[in-house]
Amino acid sequence: MTNREMPTILTVTIGEGARLTGMSQTRIHGLIEENRI
């Protein structure tokens, strides 16, 4: 990465994350609580 390139930040809601990954919203919440995502 050069000095001019910035990483892309991707932000989605819990519901969107669940839909995109196929995981349940409960699982997403659990992963967040475990600081895994």
Side-chain angles (χ1 to χ4, degrees):
M1 180 167 31
T2 66
N3 290 340
R4 294 181 190 202
E5 294 177 18
M6 295 296 293
T8 301
I9 298 172
L10 176 64
T11 304
V12 297
T13 65
I14 300 288
E16 290 167 334
R19 183 180 56 78
L20 290 168
T21 63
M23 292 185 222
S24 69
Q25 290 189 28
T26 302
R27 180 68 179 133
I28 300 285
H29 280 285
L31 291 171
I32 292 168
E33 289 178 13
E34 296 169 7
N35 291 318
R36 295 187 63 200
I37 60 170

PDB file of all heavy atoms in Angstrom:
ATOM      1  N   MET A   1       0.850  -1.180   0.000  1.00  0.00           N
ATOM      2  CA  MET A   1       0.000   0.000   0.000  1.00  0.00           C
ATOM      3  C   MET A   1       0.892   1.239   0.000  1.00  0.00           C
ATOM      4  O   MET A   1       1.795   1.347   0.818  1.00  0.00           O
ATOM      5  CB  MET A   1      -0.908  -0.029   1.221  1.00  0.00           C
ATOM      6  CG  MET A   1      -1.825   1.131   1.315  1.00  0.00           C
ATOM      7  SD  MET A   1      -3.187   1.024   2.523  1.00  0.00           S
ATOM      8  CE  MET A   1      -2.626   0.039   3.834  1.00  0.00           C
ATOM      9  N   THR A   2       0.638   2.151  -0.890  1.00  0.00           N
ATOM     10  CA  THR A   2       1.399   3.394  -0.929  1.00  0.00           C
ATOM     11  C   THR A   2       0.808   4.377   0.067  1.00  0.00           C
ATOM     12  O   THR A   2      -0.260   4.156   0.633  1.00  0.00           O
ATOM     13  CB  THR A   2       1.368   4.021  -2.335  1.00  0.00           C
ATOM     14  OG1 THR A   2       0.041   4.431  -2.627  1.00  0.00           O
ATOM     15  CG2 THR A   2       1.868   3.054  -3.392  1.00  0.00           C
ATOM     16  N   ASN A   3       1.489   5.491   0.255  1.00  0.00           N
ATOM     17  CA  ASN A   3       1.014   6.501   1.190  1.00  0.00           C
ATOM     18  C   ASN A   3      -0.325   7.085   0.780  1.00  0.00           C
ATOM     19  O   ASN A   3      -1.069   7.569   1.610  1.00  0.00           O
ATOM     20  CB  ASN A   3       2.041   7.621   1.328  1.00  0.00           C
ATOM     21  CG  ASN A   3       3.288   7.177   2.049  1.00  0.00           C
ATOM     22  OD1 ASN A   3       3.262   6.179   2.760  1.00  0.00           O
ATOM     23  ND2 ASN A   3       4.369   7.902   1.873  1.00  0.00           N
ATOM     24  N   ARG A   4      -0.634   7.061  -0.495  1.00  0.00           N
ATOM     25  CA  ARG A   4      -1.873   7.665  -0.979  1.00  0.00           C
ATOM     26  C   ARG A   4      -3.066   6.730  -0.892  1.00  0.00           C
ATOM     27  O   ARG A   4      -4.191   7.170  -0.975  1.00  0.00           O
ATOM     28  CB  ARG A   4      -1.703   8.116  -2.424  1.00  0.00           C
ATOM     29  CG  ARG A   4      -0.706   9.224  -2.557  1.00  0.00           C
ATOM     30  CD  ARG A   4      -0.577   9.661  -3.977  1.00  0.00           C
ATOM     31  NE  ARG A   4       0.551  10.563  -4.110  1.00  0.00           N
ATOM     32  CZ  ARG A   4       0.680  11.421  -5.077  1.00  0.00           C
ATOM     33  NH1 ARG A   4      -0.210  11.489  -6.028  1.00  0.00           N
ATOM     34  NH2 ARG A   4       1.727  12.200  -5.134  1.00  0.00           N
ATOM     35  N   GLU A   5      -2.821   5.438  -0.746  1.00  0.00           N
ATOM     36  CA  GLU A   5      -3.917   4.478  -0.698  1.00  0.00           C
ATOM     37  C   GLU A   5      -4.414   4.322   0.729  1.00  0.00           C
ATOM     38  O   GLU A   5      -3.639   4.151   1.650  1.00  0.00           O
ATOM     39  CB  GLU A   5      -3.464   3.116  -1.216  1.00  0.00           C
ATOM     40  CG  GLU A   5      -3.110   3.117  -2.674  1.00  0.00           C
ATOM     41  CD  GLU A   5      -2.595   1.760  -3.126  1.00  0.00           C
ATOM     42  OE1 GLU A   5      -2.827   0.758  -2.440  1.00  0.00           O
ATOM     43  OE2 GLU A   5      -1.932   1.719  -4.168  1.00  0.00           O
ATOM     44  N   MET A   6      -5.729   4.384   0.874  1.00  0.00           N
ATOM     45  CA  MET A   6      -6.338   4.190   2.179  1.00  0.00           C
ATOM     46  C   MET A   6      -7.153   2.902   2.116  1.00  0.00           C
ATOM     47  O   MET A   6      -7.770   2.602   1.098  1.00  0.00           O
ATOM     48  CB  MET A   6      -7.264   5.361   2.517  1.00  0.00           C
ATOM     49  CG  MET A   6      -6.539   6.687   2.678  1.00  0.00           C
ATOM     50  SD  MET A   6      -5.390   6.711   4.061  1.00  0.00           S
ATOM     51  CE  MET A   6      -6.508   6.605   5.415  1.00  0.00           C
ATOM     52  N   PRO A   7      -7.178   2.137   3.202  1.00  0.00           N
ATOM     53  CA  PRO A   7      -7.987   0.925   3.193  1.00  0.00           C
ATOM     54  C   PRO A   7      -9.466   1.267   3.088  1.00  0.00           C
ATOM     55  O   PRO A   7      -9.906   2.324   3.543  1.00  0.00           O
ATOM     56  CB  PRO A   7      -7.675   0.266   4.537  1.00  0.00           C
ATOM     57  CG  PRO A   7      -7.143   1.361   5.395  1.00  0.00           C
ATOM     58  CD  PRO A   7      -6.521   2.358   4.466  1.00  0.00           C
ATOM     59  N   THR A   8     -10.216   0.387   2.458  1.00  0.00           N
ATOM     60  CA  THR A   8     -11.653   0.564   2.353  1.00  0.00           C
ATOM     61  C   THR A   8     -12.300   0.090   3.642  1.00  0.00           C
ATOM     62  O   THR A   8     -12.014  -1.004   4.116  1.00  0.00           O
ATOM     63  CB  THR A   8     -12.213  -0.253   1.176  1.00  0.00           C
ATOM     64  OG1 THR A   8     -11.572   0.195  -0.015  1.00  0.00           O
ATOM     65  CG2 THR A   8     -13.711  -0.087   1.048  1.00  0.00           C
ATOM     66  N   ILE A   9     -13.139   0.918   4.209  1.00  0.00           N
ATOM     67  CA  ILE A   9     -13.859   0.551   5.423  1.00  0.00           C
ATOM     68  C   ILE A   9     -15.263   0.127   5.019  1.00  0.00           C
ATOM     69  O   ILE A   9     -15.968   0.861   4.343  1.00  0.00           O
ATOM     70  CB  ILE A   9     -13.909   1.726   6.410  1.00  0.00           C
ATOM     71  CG1 ILE A   9     -12.487   2.102   6.825  1.00  0.00           C
ATOM     72  CG2 ILE A   9     -14.772   1.380   7.618  1.00  0.00           C
ATOM     73  CD1 ILE A   9     -12.397   3.362   7.645  1.00  0.00           C
ATOM     74  N   LEU A  10     -15.641  -1.074   5.431  1.00  0.00           N
ATOM     75  CA  LEU A  10     -16.955  -1.602   5.107  1.00  0.00           C
ATOM     76  C   LEU A  10     -17.790  -1.651   6.373  1.00  0.00           C
ATOM     77  O   LEU A  10     -17.398  -2.268   7.362  1.00  0.00           O
ATOM     78  CB  LEU A  10     -16.833  -3.011   4.518  1.00  0.00           C
ATOM     79  CG  LEU A  10     -18.133  -3.734   4.216  1.00  0.00           C
ATOM     80  CD1 LEU A  10     -18.913  -2.984   3.138  1.00  0.00           C
ATOM     81  CD2 LEU A  10     -17.842  -5.148   3.770  1.00  0.00           C
ATOM     82  N   THR A  11     -18.914  -0.968   6.350  1.00  0.00           N
ATOM     83  CA  THR A  11     -19.809  -0.954   7.492  1.00  0.00           C
ATOM     84  C   THR A  11     -21.174  -1.438   7.040  1.00  0.00           C
ATOM     85  O   THR A  11     -21.712  -0.942   6.049  1.00  0.00           O
ATOM     86  CB  THR A  11     -19.949   0.478   8.056  1.00  0.00           C
ATOM     87  OG1 THR A  11     -18.648   0.971   8.368  1.00  0.00           O
ATOM     88  CG2 THR A  11     -20.811   0.501   9.290  1.00  0.00           C
ATOM     89  N   VAL A  12     -21.705  -2.420   7.758  1.00  0.00           N
ATOM     90  CA  VAL A  12     -23.044  -2.926   7.476  1.00  0.00           C
ATOM     91  C   VAL A  12     -23.783  -3.086   8.793  1.00  0.00           C
ATOM     92  O   VAL A  12     -23.181  -3.189   9.855  1.00  0.00           O
ATOM     93  CB  VAL A  12     -23.015  -4.283   6.728  1.00  0.00           C
ATOM     94  CG1 VAL A  12     -22.373  -4.148   5.368  1.00  0.00           C
ATOM     95  CG2 VAL A  12     -22.306  -5.348   7.533  1.00  0.00           C
ATOM     96  N   THR A  13     -25.093  -3.111   8.725  1.00  0.00           N
ATOM     97  CA  THR A  13     -25.894  -3.359   9.921  1.00  0.00           C
ATOM     98  C   THR A  13     -25.810  -4.836  10.283  1.00  0.00           C
ATOM     99  O   THR A  13     -25.357  -5.658   9.477  1.00  0.00           O
ATOM    100  CB  THR A  13     -27.370  -2.992   9.691  1.00  0.00           C
ATOM    101  OG1 THR A  13     -27.908  -3.874   8.705  1.00  0.00           O
ATOM    102  CG2 THR A  13     -27.527  -1.539   9.240  1.00  0.00           C
ATOM    103  N   ILE A  14     -26.260  -5.171  11.476  1.00  0.00           N
ATOM    104  CA  ILE A  14     -26.289  -6.574  11.898  1.00  0.00           C
ATOM    105  C   ILE A  14     -27.143  -7.379  10.921  1.00  0.00           C
ATOM    106  O   ILE A  14     -26.752  -8.465  10.488  1.00  0.00           O
ATOM    107  CB  ILE A  14     -26.866  -6.705  13.325  1.00  0.00           C
ATOM    108  CG1 ILE A  14     -26.028  -5.931  14.336  1.00  0.00           C
ATOM    109  CG2 ILE A  14     -27.022  -8.163  13.717  1.00  0.00           C
ATOM    110  CD1 ILE A  14     -24.685  -6.516  14.654  1.00  0.00           C
ATOM    111  N   GLY A  15     -28.287  -6.842  10.548  1.00  0.00           N
ATOM    112  CA  GLY A  15     -29.175  -7.540   9.616  1.00  0.00           C
ATOM    113  C   GLY A  15     -28.541  -7.757   8.257  1.00  0.00           C
ATOM    114  O   GLY A  15     -28.647  -8.837   7.677  1.00  0.00           O
ATOM    115  N   GLU A  16     -27.868  -6.728   7.741  1.00  0.00           N
ATOM    116  CA  GLU A  16     -27.189  -6.865   6.454  1.00  0.00           C
ATOM    117  C   GLU A  16     -26.052  -7.878   6.544  1.00  0.00           C
ATOM    118  O   GLU A  16     -25.871  -8.688   5.641  1.00  0.00           O
ATOM    119  CB  GLU A  16     -26.639  -5.505   6.003  1.00  0.00           C
ATOM    120  CG  GLU A  16     -27.707  -4.517   5.611  1.00  0.00           C
ATOM    121  CD  GLU A  16     -27.167  -3.102   5.467  1.00  0.00           C
ATOM    122  OE1 GLU A  16     -26.156  -2.760   6.110  1.00  0.00           O
ATOM    123  OE2 GLU A  16     -27.773  -2.342   4.700  1.00  0.00           O
ATOM    124  N   GLY A  17     -25.304  -7.836   7.647  1.00  0.00           N
ATOM    125  CA  GLY A  17     -24.221  -8.787   7.837  1.00  0.00           C
ATOM    126  C   GLY A  17     -24.734 -10.216   7.883  1.00  0.00           C
ATOM    127  O   GLY A  17     -24.141 -11.126   7.304  1.00  0.00           O
ATOM    128  N   ALA A  18     -25.856 -10.412   8.561  1.00  0.00           N
ATOM    129  CA  ALA A  18     -26.461 -11.742   8.637  1.00  0.00           C
ATOM    130  C   ALA A  18     -26.889 -12.210   7.245  1.00  0.00           C
ATOM    131  O   ALA A  18     -26.628 -13.345   6.849  1.00  0.00           O
ATOM    132  CB  ALA A  18     -27.649 -11.719   9.589  1.00  0.00           C
ATOM    133  N   ARG A  19     -27.524 -11.338   6.500  1.00  0.00           N
ATOM    134  CA  ARG A  19     -27.977 -11.693   5.153  1.00  0.00           C
ATOM    135  C   ARG A  19     -26.801 -11.988   4.232  1.00  0.00           C
ATOM    136  O   ARG A  19     -26.806 -12.972   3.482  1.00  0.00           O
ATOM    137  CB  ARG A  19     -28.839 -10.559   4.571  1.00  0.00           C
ATOM    138  CG  ARG A  19     -29.416 -10.862   3.197  1.00  0.00           C
ATOM    139  CD  ARG A  19     -30.264  -9.712   2.663  1.00  0.00           C
ATOM    140  NE  ARG A  19     -29.563  -8.442   2.610  1.00  0.00           N
ATOM    141  CZ  ARG A  19     -28.680  -8.089   1.674  1.00  0.00           C
ATOM    142  NH1 ARG A  19     -28.394  -8.909   0.692  1.00  0.00           N
ATOM    143  NH2 ARG A  19     -28.095  -6.902   1.709  1.00  0.00           N
ATOM    144  N   LEU A  20     -25.766 -11.177   4.302  1.00  0.00           N
ATOM    145  CA  LEU A  20     -24.611 -11.337   3.425  1.00  0.00           C
ATOM    146  C   LEU A  20     -23.800 -12.594   3.733  1.00  0.00           C
ATOM    147  O   LEU A  20     -23.212 -13.186   2.833  1.00  0.00           O
ATOM    148  CB  LEU A  20     -23.701 -10.110   3.521  1.00  0.00           C
ATOM    149  CG  LEU A  20     -24.247  -8.826   2.911  1.00  0.00           C
ATOM    150  CD1 LEU A  20     -23.401  -7.635   3.336  1.00  0.00           C
ATOM    151  CD2 LEU A  20     -24.307  -8.931   1.402  1.00  0.00           C
ATOM    152  N   THR A  21     -23.751 -12.982   5.010  1.00  0.00           N
ATOM    153  CA  THR A  21     -22.927 -14.125   5.406  1.00  0.00           C
ATOM    154  C   THR A  21     -23.708 -15.421   5.549  1.00  0.00           C
ATOM    155  O   THR A  21     -23.107 -16.492   5.607  1.00  0.00           O
ATOM    156  CB  THR A  21     -22.220 -13.852   6.749  1.00  0.00           C
ATOM    157  OG1 THR A  21     -23.219 -13.688   7.772  1.00  0.00           O
ATOM    158  CG2 THR A  21     -21.328 -12.637   6.676  1.00  0.00           C
ATOM    159  N   GLY A  22     -25.033 -15.304   5.668  1.00  0.00           N
ATOM    160  CA  GLY A  22     -25.839 -16.499   5.911  1.00  0.00           C
ATOM    161  C   GLY A  22     -25.884 -16.888   7.383  1.00  0.00           C
ATOM    162  O   GLY A  22     -26.421 -17.935   7.729  1.00  0.00           O
ATOM    163  N   MET A  23     -25.287 -16.074   8.253  1.00  0.00           N
ATOM    164  CA  MET A  23     -25.326 -16.328   9.689  1.00  0.00           C
ATOM    165  C   MET A  23     -26.568 -15.673  10.278  1.00  0.00           C
ATOM    166  O   MET A  23     -27.124 -14.755   9.692  1.00  0.00           O
ATOM    167  CB  MET A  23     -24.105 -15.728  10.387  1.00  0.00           C
ATOM    168  CG  MET A  23     -22.804 -16.376  10.063  1.00  0.00           C
ATOM    169  SD  MET A  23     -21.504 -15.631  11.078  1.00  0.00           S
ATOM    170  CE  MET A  23     -20.218 -15.483   9.858  1.00  0.00           C
ATOM    171  N   SER A  24     -26.954 -16.132  11.452  1.00  0.00           N
ATOM    172  CA  SER A  24     -28.086 -15.508  12.136  1.00  0.00           C
ATOM    173  C   SER A  24     -27.627 -14.211  12.794  1.00  0.00           C
ATOM    174  O   SER A  24     -26.428 -14.018  13.058  1.00  0.00           O
ATOM    175  CB  SER A  24     -28.658 -16.440  13.204  1.00  0.00           C
ATOM    176  OG  SER A  24     -27.734 -16.575  14.276  1.00  0.00           O
ATOM    177  N   GLN A  25     -28.579 -13.340  13.071  1.00  0.00           N
ATOM    178  CA  GLN A  25     -28.246 -12.101  13.766  1.00  0.00           C
ATOM    179  C   GLN A  25     -27.713 -12.405  15.161  1.00  0.00           C
ATOM    180  O   GLN A  25     -26.803 -11.726  15.641  1.00  0.00           O
ATOM    181  CB  GLN A  25     -29.470 -11.189  13.848  1.00  0.00           C
ATOM    182  CG  GLN A  25     -29.859 -10.603  12.502  1.00  0.00           C
ATOM    183  CD  GLN A  25     -30.918  -9.534  12.609  1.00  0.00           C
ATOM    184  OE1 GLN A  25     -31.037  -8.856  13.626  1.00  0.00           O
ATOM    185  NE2 GLN A  25     -31.702  -9.379  11.549  1.00  0.00           N
ATOM    186  N   THR A  26     -28.232 -13.461  15.784  1.00  0.00           N
ATOM    187  CA  THR A  26     -27.745 -13.869  17.102  1.00  0.00           C
ATOM    188  C   THR A  26     -26.276 -14.252  17.035  1.00  0.00           C
ATOM    189  O   THR A  26     -25.484 -13.879  17.909  1.00  0.00           O
ATOM    190  CB  THR A  26     -28.582 -15.048  17.644  1.00  0.00           C
ATOM    191  OG1 THR A  26     -29.951 -14.643  17.710  1.00  0.00           O
ATOM    192  CG2 THR A  26     -28.099 -15.491  19.012  1.00  0.00           C
ATOM    193  N   ARG A  27     -25.895 -14.996  16.002  1.00  0.00           N
ATOM    194  CA  ARG A  27     -24.491 -15.400  15.822  1.00  0.00           C
ATOM    195  C   ARG A  27     -23.612 -14.176  15.601  1.00  0.00           C
ATOM    196  O   ARG A  27     -22.508 -14.086  16.160  1.00  0.00           O
ATOM    197  CB  ARG A  27     -24.360 -16.368  14.638  1.00  0.00           C
ATOM    198  CG  ARG A  27     -22.959 -16.821  14.377  1.00  0.00           C
ATOM    199  CD  ARG A  27     -22.442 -17.713  15.501  1.00  0.00           C
ATOM    200  NE  ARG A  27     -21.101 -18.159  15.199  1.00  0.00           N
ATOM    201  CZ  ARG A  27     -20.098 -18.134  16.063  1.00  0.00           C
ATOM    202  NH1 ARG A  27     -20.294 -17.752  17.296  1.00  0.00           N
ATOM    203  NH2 ARG A  27     -18.901 -18.536  15.712  1.00  0.00           N
ATOM    204  N   ILE A  28     -24.074 -13.232  14.794  1.00  0.00           N
ATOM    205  CA  ILE A  28     -23.314 -11.999  14.551  1.00  0.00           C
ATOM    206  C   ILE A  28     -23.100 -11.258  15.872  1.00  0.00           C
ATOM    207  O   ILE A  28     -21.988 -10.822  16.175  1.00  0.00           O
ATOM    208  CB  ILE A  28     -24.023 -11.085  13.528  1.00  0.00           C
ATOM    209  CG1 ILE A  28     -24.208 -11.784  12.179  1.00  0.00           C
ATOM    210  CG2 ILE A  28     -23.298  -9.751  13.385  1.00  0.00           C
ATOM    211  CD1 ILE A  28     -22.972 -11.907  11.341  1.00  0.00           C
ATOM    212  N   HIS A  29     -24.166 -11.125  16.667  1.00  0.00           N
ATOM    213  CA  HIS A  29     -24.041 -10.454  17.974  1.00  0.00           C
ATOM    214  C   HIS A  29     -23.023 -11.178  18.850  1.00  0.00           C
ATOM    215  O   HIS A  29     -22.209 -10.546  19.518  1.00  0.00           O
ATOM    216  CB  HIS A  29     -25.396 -10.406  18.698  1.00  0.00           C
ATOM    217  CG  HIS A  29     -26.300  -9.326  18.214  1.00  0.00           C
ATOM    218  ND1 HIS A  29     -26.121  -7.997  18.524  1.00  0.00           N
ATOM    219  CD2 HIS A  29     -27.406  -9.378  17.439  1.00  0.00           C
ATOM    220  CE1 HIS A  29     -27.073  -7.274  17.963  1.00  0.00           C
ATOM    221  NE2 HIS A  29     -27.864  -8.090  17.292  1.00  0.00           N
ATOM    222  N   GLY A  30     -23.061 -12.510  18.852  1.00  0.00           N
ATOM    223  CA  GLY A  30     -22.113 -13.287  19.644  1.00  0.00           C
ATOM    224  C   GLY A  30     -20.677 -13.044  19.219  1.00  0.00           C
ATOM    225  O   GLY A  30     -19.785 -12.890  20.065  1.00  0.00           O
ATOM    226  N   LEU A  31     -20.439 -12.996  17.925  1.00  0.00           N
ATOM    227  CA  LEU A  31     -19.087 -12.744  17.417  1.00  0.00           C
ATOM    228  C   LEU A  31     -18.606 -11.346  17.803  1.00  0.00           C
ATOM    229  O   LEU A  31     -17.426 -11.149  18.109  1.00  0.00           O
ATOM    230  CB  LEU A  31     -19.046 -12.931  15.898  1.00  0.00           C
ATOM    231  CG  LEU A  31     -19.219 -14.368  15.409  1.00  0.00           C
ATOM    232  CD1 LEU A  31     -19.383 -14.395  13.894  1.00  0.00           C
ATOM    233  CD2 LEU A  31     -18.050 -15.236  15.838  1.00  0.00           C
ATOM    234  N   ILE A  32     -19.521 -10.397  17.784  1.00  0.00           N
ATOM    235  CA  ILE A  32     -19.159  -9.031  18.198  1.00  0.00           C
ATOM    236  C   ILE A  32     -18.802  -9.020  19.684  1.00  0.00           C
ATOM    237  O   ILE A  32     -17.792  -8.435  20.086  1.00  0.00           O
ATOM    238  CB  ILE A  32     -20.304  -8.039  17.898  1.00  0.00           C
ATOM    239  CG1 ILE A  32     -20.460  -7.876  16.380  1.00  0.00           C
ATOM    240  CG2 ILE A  32     -20.059  -6.696  18.580  1.00  0.00           C
ATOM    241  CD1 ILE A  32     -21.715  -7.152  15.950  1.00  0.00           C
ATOM    242  N   GLU A  33     -19.605  -9.693  20.516  1.00  0.00           N
ATOM    243  CA  GLU A  33     -19.321  -9.750  21.945  1.00  0.00           C
ATOM    244  C   GLU A  33     -17.984 -10.428  22.235  1.00  0.00           C
ATOM    245  O   GLU A  33     -17.308 -10.076  23.207  1.00  0.00           O
ATOM    246  CB  GLU A  33     -20.450 -10.483  22.678  1.00  0.00           C
ATOM    247  CG  GLU A  33     -21.732  -9.687  22.747  1.00  0.00           C
ATOM    248  CD  GLU A  33     -22.860 -10.443  23.434  1.00  0.00           C
ATOM    249  OE1 GLU A  33     -22.593 -11.483  24.072  1.00  0.00           O
ATOM    250  OE2 GLU A  33     -23.992  -9.987  23.333  1.00  0.00           O
ATOM    251  N   GLU A  34     -17.598 -11.390  21.397  1.00  0.00           N
ATOM    252  CA  GLU A  34     -16.320 -12.085  21.548  1.00  0.00           C
ATOM    253  C   GLU A  34     -15.159 -11.312  20.920  1.00  0.00           C
ATOM    254  O   GLU A  34     -14.028 -11.804  20.895  1.00  0.00           O
ATOM    255  CB  GLU A  34     -16.405 -13.472  20.904  1.00  0.00           C
ATOM    256  CG  GLU A  34     -17.386 -14.408  21.552  1.00  0.00           C
ATOM    257  CD  GLU A  34     -17.638 -15.667  20.754  1.00  0.00           C
ATOM    258  OE1 GLU A  34     -16.936 -15.904  19.725  1.00  0.00           O
ATOM    259  OE2 GLU A  34     -18.536 -16.433  21.132  1.00  0.00           O
ATOM    260  N   ASN A  35     -15.452 -10.127  20.375  1.00  0.00           N
ATOM    261  CA  ASN A  35     -14.448  -9.290  19.699  1.00  0.00           C
ATOM    262  C   ASN A  35     -13.803 -10.032  18.534  1.00  0.00           C
ATOM    263  O   ASN A  35     -12.614  -9.854  18.244  1.00  0.00           O
ATOM    264  CB  ASN A  35     -13.374  -8.803  20.666  1.00  0.00           C
ATOM    265  CG  ASN A  35     -13.904  -7.807  21.655  1.00  0.00           C
ATOM    266  OD1 ASN A  35     -14.677  -6.926  21.298  1.00  0.00           O
ATOM    267  ND2 ASN A  35     -13.536  -7.968  22.905  1.00  0.00           N
ATOM    268  N   ARG A  36     -14.578 -10.865  17.871  1.00  0.00           N
ATOM    269  CA  ARG A  36     -14.048 -11.604  16.730  1.00  0.00           C
ATOM    270  C   ARG A  36     -14.355 -10.889  15.427  1.00  0.00           C
ATOM    271  O   ARG A  36     -13.724 -11.152  14.403  1.00  0.00           O
ATOM    272  CB  ARG A  36     -14.631 -13.019  16.721  1.00  0.00           C
ATOM    273  CG  ARG A  36     -14.136 -13.782  17.956  1.00  0.00           C
ATOM    274  CD  ARG A  36     -14.509 -15.204  17.976  1.00  0.00           C
ATOM    275  NE  ARG A  36     -13.888 -15.892  16.866  1.00  0.00           N
ATOM    276  CZ  ARG A  36     -14.314 -17.052  16.405  1.00  0.00           C
ATOM    277  NH1 ARG A  36     -15.348 -17.654  16.961  1.00  0.00           N
ATOM    278  NH2 ARG A  36     -13.719 -17.634  15.393  1.00  0.00           N
ATOM    279  N   ILE A  37     -15.343 -10.027  15.429  1.00  0.00           N
ATOM    280  CA  ILE A  37     -15.633  -9.181  14.266  1.00  0.00           C
ATOM    281  C   ILE A  37     -15.996  -7.799  14.762  1.00  0.00           C
ATOM    282  O   ILE A  37     -16.289  -7.595  15.920  1.00  0.00           O
ATOM    283  CB  ILE A  37     -16.769  -9.725  13.359  1.00  0.00           C
ATOM    284  CG1 ILE A  37     -18.074  -9.853  14.105  1.00  0.00           C
ATOM    285  CG2 ILE A  37     -16.360 -11.040  12.749  1.00  0.00           C
ATOM    286  CD1 ILE A  37     -19.254 -10.151  13.195  1.00  0.00           C
TER     287      ILE A  37
END
